[in-house]
Amino acid sequence: MKKIFLLLTGVALLANCTGAGKPKQETAASGDGLTGTIQLSGAFALYPMAVKWGEEFRKLHPDVKVDISGGGAGKGMTDALSGVVDIGMVSREIYPEETVKGAYPIATVKDAVVPIINANNPEREAIRKTGLKRETAAKLWSREINTWGEVLGTSATLPVHVFTRSDACGAAETFAAWFGKKQENLKATAVFGDPGLAAAVQKDRAGIGFNNIAYAYDQKSKKIFEGLAIIPIDMNENGRIDPEEDFYETTETLIKAINEGRYPSPPARDLYLVTKGKPTKPEVIAFIEYVLTEGQKYAVETGYIALSEEKLQAELLKLK
């Protein structure tokens, strides 16, 4: 499991050419003459989904090269606005000042951030029954709480080790928004990237952090990664997790709860592809149109939530 996260970290930090170098005969030529290169960078939250889209898009358009790299939502926005890439991947709402600079966001899929702990935490069963309240989370990430006993309202003396992200990212911004804070307000041990934060909690039995769904759950088995456990959110704040609040066993049960509004938003949110101004490159327009049409069918299998038909049509109009 540790090797998997180390591998994810390496992959996410390097530019990845989805399908580059494959012989053309491995993909079916579209015959539409579409060529060029599409460069994307940004949010770890959207990275696995973008890689899947890139792979499938190239099967239809083998003469288009798709380069994708991670680095966080902040990097994606900066790269898009500076023209370093064609598309920035952003996993938070767009700030007004970014819109003024030309940020042109298109919502693509939904995702969520979930609080995580080490699976071997001695208080795990009590944590699962009690869950996490909004107020408790705010105190944890402001360092007003120092033991798991304070989290649970018990005499447990196990210290609580709180982790956050060191990179400007949508996951931290969205998670902080759930309890009325911003990423810069989070006081905790800072770790780079989604894979890095998950690995840090895996190694620390007293650790607590947060991850996007794709980094908390194995997308093949749909179950939580070995070494991690999810803290249920106590939505009604009655001090216990009721049956209707207990839906974290698999990505399917969690996604169903998000669709039904049983998981709060934030930390559930839309994920965006951002260009500087309305896109004009034919290959970029074709890619985004693919994402909003055929590409939606890959959302659930990759651990995301497809947008509603009404929302998809509204986003497609932004390309006209």
Side-chain angles (χ1 to χ4, degrees):
M1 194 53 242
K2 293 178 182 177
K3 292 181 179 178
I4 291 175
F5 276 115
L6 288 173
L7 178 59
L8 278 171
T9 305
V11 171
L13 294 177
L14 296 174
N16 288 272
C17 177
T18 58
K22 290 184 179 180
K24 273 192 180 181
Q25 59 266 29
E26 289 185 14
T27 57
S30 62
D32 60 3
L34 193 65
T35 62
T37 299
I38 305 169
Q39 294 180 307
L40 301 90
S41 75
F44 286 99
L46 195 48
Y47 180 85
M49 186 75 260
V51 168
K52 179 64 175 177
W53 283 330
E55 291 171 348
E56 298 301 325
F57 182 77
R58 288 200 74 250
K59 292 177 182 178
L60 301 174
H61 307 285
D63 292 328
V64 178
K65 182 180 178 182
V66 184
D67 290 332
I68 307 171
S69 63
K75 176 174 170 54
M77 180 61 77
T78 299
D79 286 353
L81 292 180
S82 64
V84 173
V85 298
D86 300 297
I87 301 172
M89 300 181 291
V90 179
S91 53
R92 57 164 171 75
E93 293 304 312
I94 311 306
Y95 304 143
E97 57 267 30
E98 294 168 338
T99 302
V100 170
K101 292 178 182 177
Y104 196 80
I106 295 177
T108 58
V109 286
K110 289 191 72 171
D111 187 22
V113 183
V114 292
I116 59 169
I117 59 170
N118 185 288
N120 295 314
N121 188 310
E123 304 295 329
R124 177 179 172 179
E125 188 57 28
I127 295 166
R128 190 190 69 77
K129 291 179 179 179
T130 302
L132 184 65
K133 293 182 181 179
R134 189 193 310 259
E135 181 183 0
T136 304
K139 289 181 178 179
L140 276 166
W141 272 272
S142 61
R143 294 199 168 173
E144 295 177 46
I145 289 178
N146 299 300
T147 69
W148 279 103
E150 292 176 275
V151 174
L152 299 167
T154 68
S155 59
T157 58
L158 180 72
V160 58
H161 300 157
V162 187
F163 292 91
T164 186
R165 292 274 291 275
S166 62
D167 50 311
C169 66
E173 189 70 17
T174 302
F175 187 68
W178 170 52
F179 47 84
K181 302 289 185 180
K182 292 184 176 295
Q183 179 176 359
E184 56 264 31
N185 302 136
L186 303 183
K187 298 178 182 180
T189 301
V191 182
F192 183 82
D194 251 308
L197 198 154
V201 174
Q202 278 183 314
K203 296 173 184 175
D204 188 340
R205 71 173 193 152
I208 182 173
F210 50 83
N211 270 126
N212 293 296
I213 292 175
Y215 297 89
Y217 291 82
D218 182 336
Q219 295 316 307
K220 290 184 178 179
S221 69
K222 309 300 182 185
K223 294 184 179 295
I224 302 162
F225 275 120
E226 183 181 352
L228 295 178
I230 308 298
I231 307 179
I233 289 180
D234 183 7
M235 291 280 290
N236 59 17
E237 303 202 345
N238 65 353
R240 64 177 184 273
I241 296 302
D242 299 315
E244 62 270 21
E245 297 172 315
D246 191 6
F247 42 69
Y248 300 87
E249 185 176 354
T250 67
T251 51
E252 286 102 333
T253 55
L254 175 55
I255 287 171
K256 184 175 185 292
I258 293 169
N259 276 329
E260 294 173 352
R262 290 186 287 128
Y263 190 81
S265 180
R269 83 296 202 194
D270 290 340
L271 303 179
Y272 297 90
L273 294 182
V274 177
T275 56
K276 186 175 183 180
K278 185 182 293 186
T280 57
K281 288 175 63 174
E283 60 271 32
V284 172
I285 295 171
F287 178 75
I288 297 175
E289 286 180 339
Y290 173 81
V291 164
L292 296 173
T293 53
E294 293 181 55
Q296 292 291 300
K297 68 185 179 184
Y298 300 108
V300 173
E301 72 176 64
T302 316
Y304 297 80
I305 304 159
L307 299 182
S308 67
E309 188 59 35
E310 182 180 7
K311 184 70 175 282
L312 289 170
Q313 292 304 315
E315 299 305 302
L316 280 167
L317 284 175
K318 294 180 181 179
L319 298 173
K320 304 302 181 185

